[in-house]
Amino acid sequence: MAAGDTVGATAALRRAADVAPPEASVERARILALLAQERMIAGAFRDAERTALEALEVTRACGAEAEPEAIHVMTTLAVVRGWGDDPESALPLLRDAAARARAAGLVEEWWRAVANEAVVLELLGRPTEAIDVTFASMAEVRALDLDAVYGNLLGGNVAGILVDVGRWREARELSLRALDWSPAGIPFVNAIL
């Protein structure tokens, strides 16, 4: 996925799901969670939701051992629902995923959940809440001394929302700070825009 080969990533993940033993296992949960995420990124939301629900079933069968995979797939499912017919249903999933990730010390998963919560809040027409959630998360990562990466990623993400509500000075400051960090990929695009 990261290399930009969506077709190859989908094929590899589908093949992995096909050859993995059908019994519930952390490995199967991880494969399905990654496949659901890839399908979500590709915009194949029905396929992503179906795969995410299957992954959640597997994580439940595995219990605490598959907590990272459960958190990951909850965020993916929430994003799919956020862009679907009932975007409000995404918020409890994202908040639960963020809380569970925080409790488990899974910073990447926590960041992914809170960043997507802001996206869903913006989709729901609640930009002020999206900004508040993001700023609270930025303060939290600053307190954890993780601001260079996660704070800048969150700042680059929220800059567009700040522009939309007319808070241009804050958007500019966050974008410049994120660009000083020299991001690559989507964080760079978000910050530069």
Side-chain angles (χ1 to χ4, degrees):
M1 285 186 300
D5 182 9
T6 303
V7 173
T10 302
L13 288 166
R14 284 193 193 282
R15 178 74 179 131
D18 289 344
V19 300
E23 302 82 38
S25 68
V26 173
E27 292 76 20
R28 182 162 187 76
R30 187 173 304 125
I31 290 165
L32 291 171
L34 290 171
L35 179 58
Q37 180 185 18
E38 186 282 321
R39 297 285 63 216
M40 178 266 299
I41 291 169
F45 291 153
R46 271 181 273 166
D47 193 22
E49 183 169 23
R50 181 189 53 73
T51 306
L53 290 170
E54 183 181 352
L56 274 177
E57 285 181 32
V58 174
T59 64
R60 286 186 191 110
C62 291
E65 186 181 12
E67 180 70 351
E69 290 75 16
I71 294 165
H72 187 87
V73 78
M74 287 169 62
T75 299
T76 298
L77 180 60
V79 171
V80 168
R81 290 187 174 165
W83 287 96
D85 295 335
D86 184 17
E88 192 74 42
S89 69
L91 293 174
L93 272 172
L94 288 167
R95 290 172 180 151
D96 189 25
R100 288 168 65 172
R102 186 181 289 110
L106 300 170
V107 178
E108 184 76 21
E109 294 300 338
W110 168 80
W111 172 83
R112 196 169 158 254
V114 297
N116 280 297
E117 182 180 353
V119 170
V120 171
L121 286 166
E122 184 181 20
L123 288 171
L124 289 166
R126 294 156 53 183
T128 303
E129 284 180 67
I131 292 166
D132 291 346
V133 162
T134 304
F135 280 2
S137 299
M138 289 169 67
E140 189 171 348
V141 296
R142 193 173 308 113
L144 296 170
D145 199 25
L146 298 170
D147 196 37
V149 175
Y150 297 105
N152 283 319
L153 289 169
L154 290 166
N157 284 345
V158 78
I161 302 171
L162 290 166
V163 168
D164 291 344
V165 299
R167 291 168 62 175
W168 302 303
R169 178 172 282 129
E170 289 171 282
R172 182 178 190 279
E173 289 169 8
L174 287 173
S175 296
L176 289 174
R177 191 174 85 197
L179 287 172
D180 280 345
W181 168 60
S182 300
I186 291 172
F188 173 78
V189 172
N190 286 346
I192 198 78
L193 289 177

